[in-house]
Amino acid sequence: NAGVTQTPKFRILKIGQSMTLQCAQDMNHNYMYWYRQDPGMGLKLIYYSVGAGITDKGEVPNGYNVSRSTTEDFPLRLELAAPSQTSVYFCASSYWDTDAWSNSPLHFGNGTRLTVT
Amino acid sequence: AQKVTQAQTEISVVEKEDVTLDCVYETRDTTYYLFWYKQPPSGELVFLIRRNSFDEQNEISGRYSWNFQKSTSSFNFTITASQVVDSAVYFCALSEADFNKFYFGSGTKLNVKP
C-alpha cells in the first residue's frame, strides 16, 4: 500500500519555465489537496478537490492550476515559474465518510522540493 | 483571523524533561476535528492524533498525551521524558464542518538536547 506518491522529489526550474508536479493516491480517498511549505513556515493550501472533476482554490492559488480527472490523481501545474514559487510542495488526501459524518486525517506524500532560479 | 494558533515558535529542552506544546483554535462550528502532525528534520509529515469535538477525553499514547479543553479552545500536546528523536516541528490542525479544508498552525519547533 503506497499511500500518497509524489514525483519528482526535487526539481530546479528556470524563471518562466513550466512543470507539473504529480500526485497519486491508492487509498480511494475522495479528497485531495496541494499545500506549499516555505522555509521555516507552516502549510498553505493551494488547491483542493472533493472528488473527480471538482476542484477549488485554497489560500494561495495564483500561479498554479490543477485538474482531477480520476479519483487517484491530482497533478499540480506551475505555469511561468517565479522565484516566489520556490518551496516544498506536499500533496495530501483524506476520506470523508458521509454515512459516519467523519473525516479521516490527512495522509501526506513525501513532498517535492522545488527551486526556481 | 488565524483559525489555529501555535504561539510557541521554538522550544528547547534537555532530554528527559517534559514539554507541552500549545494549540489554540477558533471555530463557530459545533462539529470539528483537531489533529497533531510531526515533521522531523527529514521533512515528511507524520500524523499523530485526531480528536473530534464531541470527545473531550484526554488521550495518552506512550510518552505522548493530549489535553483537549473546549472551554478554552485548546488542544495541547505534552511529551513526557523527551528524547532527542522527538526533535521536530509539530503542527496543530483544525478541520471544520465543511470538512473540505484543514487549517494548520504555524508550527512549533522542538529541540531536544542530549
Side-chain angles (χ1 to χ4, degrees):
Chain A
N1 192 342
V4 179
T5 303
Q6 288 183 241
T7 56
K9 292 184 180 179
F10 304 94
R11 185 70 186 270
I12 298 174
L13 282 181
K14 293 186 178 179
I15 295 171
Q17 287 185 321
S18 301
M19 76 164 293
T20 299
L21 281 65
Q22 301 292 344
C23 175
Q25 54 94 6
D26 61 0
M27 296 173 285
N28 201 31
H29 283 176
N30 42 9
Y31 290 3
M32 294 187 76
Y33 310 79
W34 275 104
Y35 287 90
R36 61 177 285 175
Q37 184 180 29
D38 298 331
M41 304 294 284
L43 296 158
K44 294 183 180 178
L45 182 64
I46 306 171
Y47 270 96
Y48 66 101
S49 169
V50 303
I54 306 170
T55 62
D56 208 346
K57 297 177 180 178
E59 302 170 81
V60 289
N62 291 342
Y64 307 95
N65 278 300
V66 293
S67 60
R68 183 102 181 265
S69 57
T70 67
T71 300
E72 295 78 18
D73 300 300
F74 191 41
L76 177 71
R77 178 80 177 165
L78 278 72
E79 305 283 0
L80 299 175
S84 60
Q85 293 178 304
T86 294
S87 190
V88 178
Y89 291 82
F90 287 98
C91 180
S93 69
S94 70
Y95 182 72
W96 172 241
D97 186 334
T98 53
D99 292 332
W101 201 249
S102 171
N103 200 6
S104 76
L106 281 173
H107 292 74
F108 284 92
N110 287 332
T112 296
R113 186 175 296 275
L114 176 67
T115 302
V116 182
T117 61
Chain B
Q2 281 274 75
K3 286 190 175 288
V4 180
T5 301
Q6 294 180 256
Q8 304 151 308
T9 305
E10 189 165 353
I11 301 173
S12 293
V13 298
V14 177
E15 208 170 19
K16 297 184 183 178
E17 285 186 5
D18 298 346
V19 59
T20 295
L21 310 182
D22 298 332
C23 173
V24 175
Y25 63 92
E26 179 182 337
T27 181
R28 294 182 178 181
D29 292 344
T30 56
T31 303
Y32 53 90
Y33 288 87
L34 296 163
F35 305 81
W36 276 95
Y37 285 84
K38 175 182 180 180
Q39 187 174 42
S42 51
E44 71 274 22
L45 286 149
V46 180
F47 164 71
L48 296 177
I49 188 171
R50 178 184 74 165
R51 174 66 76 218
N52 74 54
S53 54
F54 298 110
D55 184 1
E56 283 193 79
Q57 286 192 348
N58 294 330
E59 181 153 342
I60 299 174
S61 176
R63 297 184 295 107
Y64 295 171
S65 62
W66 291 269
N67 182 271
F68 176 29
Q69 291 197 339
K70 291 175 75 170
S71 60
T72 55
S73 296
S74 64
F75 186 45
N76 297 337
F77 174 28
T78 298
I79 301 175
T80 303
S82 59
Q83 299 177 1
V84 173
V85 294
D86 295 326
S87 295
V89 180
Y90 291 87
F91 291 98
C92 181
L94 164 73
S95 178
E96 289 181 312
D98 64 4
F99 297 111
N100 292 339
K101 305 174 189 176
F102 288 72
Y103 301 95
F104 283 82
S106 54
T108 297
K109 184 176 183 181
L110 175 64
N111 302 305
V112 182
K113 302 174 183 178

